[in-house]
Short mmCIF file of all heavy atoms in Angstrom, two decimals:
data_model
loop_
_atom_site.label_atom_id
_atom_site.label_comp_id
_atom_site.label_asym_id
_atom_site.label_seq_id
_atom_site.Cartn_x
_atom_site.Cartn_y
_atom_site.Cartn_z
N GLY A 18 36.19 -9.08 -15.58
CA GLY A 18 37.57 -9.39 -15.89
C GLY A 18 38.10 -8.68 -17.12
O GLY A 18 39.29 -8.80 -17.43
N SER A 19 37.28 -7.92 -17.83
CA SER A 19 37.75 -7.22 -19.04
C SER A 19 38.06 -5.77 -18.72
O SER A 19 37.81 -5.29 -17.62
CB SER A 19 36.70 -7.32 -20.14
OG SER A 19 35.60 -6.49 -19.84
N GLU A 20 38.60 -5.05 -19.69
CA GLU A 20 38.91 -3.63 -19.55
C GLU A 20 37.82 -2.74 -20.12
O GLU A 20 37.81 -1.55 -19.87
CB GLU A 20 40.22 -3.32 -20.28
CG GLU A 20 41.46 -3.74 -19.52
CD GLU A 20 41.88 -2.69 -18.50
OE1 GLU A 20 41.74 -1.49 -18.76
OE2 GLU A 20 42.34 -3.11 -17.43
N LYS A 21 36.92 -3.29 -20.91
CA LYS A 21 35.90 -2.50 -21.62
C LYS A 21 34.86 -1.99 -20.61
O LYS A 21 34.17 -2.78 -19.95
CB LYS A 21 35.23 -3.39 -22.67
CG LYS A 21 34.22 -2.66 -23.50
CD LYS A 21 34.73 -2.42 -24.88
CE LYS A 21 33.57 -1.94 -25.71
NZ LYS A 21 33.98 -1.02 -26.71
N LEU A 22 34.75 -0.66 -20.52
CA LEU A 22 33.82 -0.05 -19.56
C LEU A 22 32.41 -0.04 -20.11
O LEU A 22 32.20 -0.01 -21.32
CB LEU A 22 34.25 1.39 -19.27
CG LEU A 22 35.56 1.58 -18.53
CD1 LEU A 22 35.90 3.06 -18.45
CD2 LEU A 22 35.49 0.99 -17.15
N ARG A 23 31.45 -0.04 -19.18
CA ARG A 23 30.06 0.15 -19.58
C ARG A 23 29.88 1.56 -20.12
O ARG A 23 30.68 2.45 -19.86
CB ARG A 23 29.13 -0.05 -18.38
CG ARG A 23 29.00 -1.48 -17.95
CD ARG A 23 27.98 -1.57 -16.85
NE ARG A 23 27.80 -2.95 -16.45
CZ ARG A 23 26.95 -3.35 -15.53
NH1 ARG A 23 26.20 -2.46 -14.91
NH2 ARG A 23 26.84 -4.62 -15.22
N LYS A 24 28.80 1.75 -20.86
CA LYS A 24 28.54 3.02 -21.52
C LYS A 24 28.48 4.17 -20.50
O LYS A 24 29.10 5.23 -20.69
CB LYS A 24 27.22 2.91 -22.27
CG LYS A 24 26.91 4.04 -23.20
CD LYS A 24 25.63 3.69 -23.94
CE LYS A 24 25.21 4.77 -24.89
NZ LYS A 24 23.98 4.44 -25.59
N ASN A 25 27.78 3.98 -19.40
CA ASN A 25 27.62 5.02 -18.39
C ASN A 25 28.96 5.31 -17.70
O ASN A 25 29.29 6.46 -17.44
CB ASN A 25 26.57 4.57 -17.36
CG ASN A 25 26.01 5.73 -16.58
OD1 ASN A 25 25.99 6.85 -17.06
ND2 ASN A 25 25.57 5.45 -15.38
N ALA A 26 29.74 4.27 -17.42
CA ALA A 26 31.03 4.44 -16.75
C ALA A 26 32.01 5.17 -17.66
O ALA A 26 32.77 6.03 -17.21
CB ALA A 26 31.59 3.09 -16.34
N ALA A 27 32.01 4.82 -18.95
CA ALA A 27 32.91 5.49 -19.90
C ALA A 27 32.55 6.97 -20.01
O ALA A 27 33.43 7.84 -20.04
CB ALA A 27 32.82 4.81 -21.26
N GLY A 28 31.27 7.27 -20.03
CA GLY A 28 30.82 8.67 -20.09
C GLY A 28 31.20 9.43 -18.83
O GLY A 28 31.58 10.60 -18.89
N ARG A 29 31.11 8.77 -17.69
CA ARG A 29 31.46 9.40 -16.41
C ARG A 29 32.94 9.76 -16.39
O ARG A 29 33.32 10.85 -16.00
CB ARG A 29 31.12 8.44 -15.27
CG ARG A 29 31.51 8.93 -13.91
CD ARG A 29 30.47 9.86 -13.38
NE ARG A 29 30.83 10.29 -12.05
CZ ARG A 29 30.76 11.54 -11.65
NH1 ARG A 29 30.30 12.46 -12.44
NH2 ARG A 29 31.11 11.88 -10.45
N LEU A 30 33.80 8.82 -16.82
CA LEU A 30 35.24 9.07 -16.84
C LEU A 30 35.57 10.18 -17.83
O LEU A 30 36.38 11.07 -17.53
CB LEU A 30 35.99 7.79 -17.20
CG LEU A 30 37.51 7.89 -17.21
CD1 LEU A 30 38.05 8.29 -15.85
CD2 LEU A 30 38.12 6.57 -17.66
N ARG A 31 34.95 10.17 -18.99
CA ARG A 31 35.18 11.21 -20.00
C ARG A 31 34.77 12.58 -19.45
O ARG A 31 35.48 13.57 -19.63
CB ARG A 31 34.39 10.86 -21.26
CG ARG A 31 34.76 11.68 -22.47
CD ARG A 31 34.19 11.16 -23.78
NE ARG A 31 32.84 10.63 -23.69
CZ ARG A 31 32.52 9.33 -23.83
NH1 ARG A 31 33.47 8.44 -24.06
NH2 ARG A 31 31.28 8.93 -23.75
N HIS A 32 33.64 12.63 -18.74
CA HIS A 32 33.17 13.89 -18.15
C HIS A 32 34.15 14.41 -17.11
O HIS A 32 34.46 15.61 -17.07
CB HIS A 32 31.79 13.68 -17.52
CG HIS A 32 31.33 14.85 -16.71
ND1 HIS A 32 30.88 16.02 -17.27
CD2 HIS A 32 31.27 15.04 -15.36
CE1 HIS A 32 30.57 16.87 -16.31
NE2 HIS A 32 30.80 16.29 -15.14
N LEU A 33 34.65 13.52 -16.24
CA LEU A 33 35.60 13.94 -15.21
C LEU A 33 36.88 14.50 -15.83
O LEU A 33 37.39 15.54 -15.39
CB LEU A 33 35.92 12.77 -14.27
CG LEU A 33 34.80 12.36 -13.32
CD1 LEU A 33 35.15 11.06 -12.62
CD2 LEU A 33 34.51 13.44 -12.31
N VAL A 34 37.40 13.83 -16.83
CA VAL A 34 38.63 14.28 -17.47
C VAL A 34 38.40 15.63 -18.16
O VAL A 34 39.25 16.53 -18.09
CB VAL A 34 39.13 13.20 -18.47
CG1 VAL A 34 40.26 13.75 -19.34
CG2 VAL A 34 39.59 11.97 -17.72
N ASN A 35 37.25 15.81 -18.80
CA ASN A 35 36.96 17.07 -19.49
C ASN A 35 36.73 18.24 -18.54
O ASN A 35 36.84 19.39 -18.95
CB ASN A 35 35.75 16.91 -20.41
CG ASN A 35 36.06 16.07 -21.62
OD1 ASN A 35 37.21 15.93 -22.01
ND2 ASN A 35 35.03 15.51 -22.22
N THR A 36 36.37 17.96 -17.29
CA THR A 36 36.11 19.04 -16.33
C THR A 36 37.30 19.30 -15.41
O THR A 36 37.14 19.94 -14.37
CB THR A 36 34.85 18.75 -15.49
OG1 THR A 36 34.98 17.47 -14.88
CG2 THR A 36 33.61 18.80 -16.35
N GLY A 37 38.50 18.81 -15.77
CA GLY A 37 39.70 19.18 -15.03
C GLY A 37 40.26 18.14 -14.10
O GLY A 37 41.23 18.40 -13.39
N TRP A 38 39.70 16.95 -14.05
CA TRP A 38 40.21 15.89 -13.19
C TRP A 38 41.32 15.14 -13.93
O TRP A 38 41.28 15.00 -15.14
CB TRP A 38 39.10 14.91 -12.82
CG TRP A 38 38.06 15.51 -11.93
CD1 TRP A 38 36.97 16.20 -12.32
CD2 TRP A 38 38.05 15.48 -10.51
NE1 TRP A 38 36.24 16.60 -11.22
CE2 TRP A 38 36.89 16.17 -10.10
CE3 TRP A 38 38.87 14.96 -9.54
CZ2 TRP A 38 36.55 16.34 -8.77
CZ3 TRP A 38 38.54 15.11 -8.21
CH2 TRP A 38 37.39 15.80 -7.83
N ARG A 39 42.31 14.64 -13.18
CA ARG A 39 43.38 13.83 -13.74
C ARG A 39 43.32 12.44 -13.11
O ARG A 39 43.20 12.31 -11.90
CB ARG A 39 44.74 14.44 -13.43
CG ARG A 39 45.05 15.68 -14.20
CD ARG A 39 46.45 16.20 -13.92
NE ARG A 39 46.78 16.28 -12.50
CZ ARG A 39 46.43 17.28 -11.70
NH1 ARG A 39 45.73 18.27 -12.18
NH2 ARG A 39 46.78 17.28 -10.43
N GLU A 40 43.44 11.43 -13.94
CA GLU A 40 43.47 10.06 -13.44
C GLU A 40 44.88 9.78 -12.95
O GLU A 40 45.85 9.90 -13.69
CB GLU A 40 43.09 9.08 -14.56
CG GLU A 40 43.00 7.66 -14.12
CD GLU A 40 42.59 6.72 -15.23
OE1 GLU A 40 41.90 7.14 -16.17
OE2 GLU A 40 43.00 5.54 -15.14
N THR A 41 45.01 9.40 -11.67
CA THR A 41 46.34 9.19 -11.10
C THR A 41 46.61 7.73 -10.76
O THR A 41 47.77 7.36 -10.63
CB THR A 41 46.52 10.03 -9.81
OG1 THR A 41 45.49 9.70 -8.90
CG2 THR A 41 46.46 11.51 -10.13
N GLU A 42 45.59 6.94 -10.59
CA GLU A 42 45.79 5.55 -10.20
C GLU A 42 44.63 4.72 -10.70
O GLU A 42 43.50 5.20 -10.77
CB GLU A 42 45.86 5.48 -8.66
CG GLU A 42 46.22 4.15 -8.09
CD GLU A 42 46.23 4.21 -6.57
OE1 GLU A 42 46.73 5.20 -6.01
OE2 GLU A 42 45.70 3.27 -5.96
N ARG A 43 44.90 3.47 -11.04
CA ARG A 43 43.84 2.57 -11.52
C ARG A 43 44.11 1.17 -11.00
O ARG A 43 45.21 0.67 -11.12
CB ARG A 43 43.82 2.57 -13.05
CG ARG A 43 42.70 1.79 -13.66
CD ARG A 43 42.79 1.82 -15.17
NE ARG A 43 42.13 3.01 -15.72
CZ ARG A 43 41.39 3.01 -16.81
NH1 ARG A 43 41.25 1.92 -17.52
NH2 ARG A 43 40.83 4.11 -17.21
N SER A 44 43.08 0.55 -10.39
CA SER A 44 43.20 -0.84 -9.97
C SER A 44 41.96 -1.58 -10.41
O SER A 44 40.86 -1.01 -10.42
CB SER A 44 43.39 -0.93 -8.45
OG SER A 44 42.28 -0.40 -7.80
N GLN A 45 42.14 -2.84 -10.79
CA GLN A 45 41.03 -3.59 -11.38
C GLN A 45 40.60 -4.74 -10.47
O GLN A 45 41.42 -5.43 -9.89
CB GLN A 45 41.43 -4.14 -12.74
CG GLN A 45 40.28 -4.80 -13.46
CD GLN A 45 40.64 -5.10 -14.90
OE1 GLN A 45 41.71 -4.77 -15.37
NE2 GLN A 45 39.72 -5.73 -15.59
N THR A 46 39.27 -4.89 -10.35
CA THR A 46 38.69 -6.06 -9.70
C THR A 46 37.91 -6.81 -10.78
O THR A 46 37.94 -6.43 -11.94
CB THR A 46 37.76 -5.66 -8.54
OG1 THR A 46 36.65 -4.96 -9.08
CG2 THR A 46 38.48 -4.79 -7.52
N ALA A 47 37.21 -7.85 -10.40
CA ALA A 47 36.48 -8.64 -11.40
C ALA A 47 35.35 -7.84 -12.04
O ALA A 47 35.14 -7.92 -13.24
CB ALA A 47 35.93 -9.90 -10.75
N GLU A 48 34.61 -7.05 -11.24
CA GLU A 48 33.40 -6.41 -11.76
C GLU A 48 33.55 -4.92 -12.06
O GLU A 48 32.71 -4.34 -12.74
CB GLU A 48 32.25 -6.62 -10.78
CG GLU A 48 31.88 -8.08 -10.67
CD GLU A 48 30.70 -8.31 -9.75
OE1 GLU A 48 30.15 -7.32 -9.24
OE2 GLU A 48 30.35 -9.47 -9.58
N TYR A 49 34.58 -4.28 -11.54
CA TYR A 49 34.74 -2.84 -11.77
C TYR A 49 36.20 -2.45 -11.74
O TYR A 49 37.06 -3.21 -11.29
CB TYR A 49 33.96 -2.01 -10.75
CG TYR A 49 34.35 -2.25 -9.31
CD1 TYR A 49 35.38 -1.51 -8.74
CD2 TYR A 49 33.70 -3.18 -8.52
CE1 TYR A 49 35.75 -1.71 -7.42
CE2 TYR A 49 34.06 -3.39 -7.21
CZ TYR A 49 35.08 -2.66 -6.66
OH TYR A 49 35.45 -2.86 -5.36
#
Side-chain angles (χ1 to χ4, degrees):
S19 73
E20 282 276 324
K21 183 107 169 147
L22 293 174
R23 288 185 178 182
K24 190 175 179 181
N25 200 27
R29 177 83 178 135
L30 182 60
R31 192 169 38 249
H32 171 75
L33 288 171
V34 169
N35 288 338
T36 54
W38 293 87
R39 288 184 312 278
E40 184 179 332
T41 56
E42 187 181 318
R43 185 181 274 220
S44 62
Q45 186 169 357
T46 65
E48 295 183 1
Y49 60 88

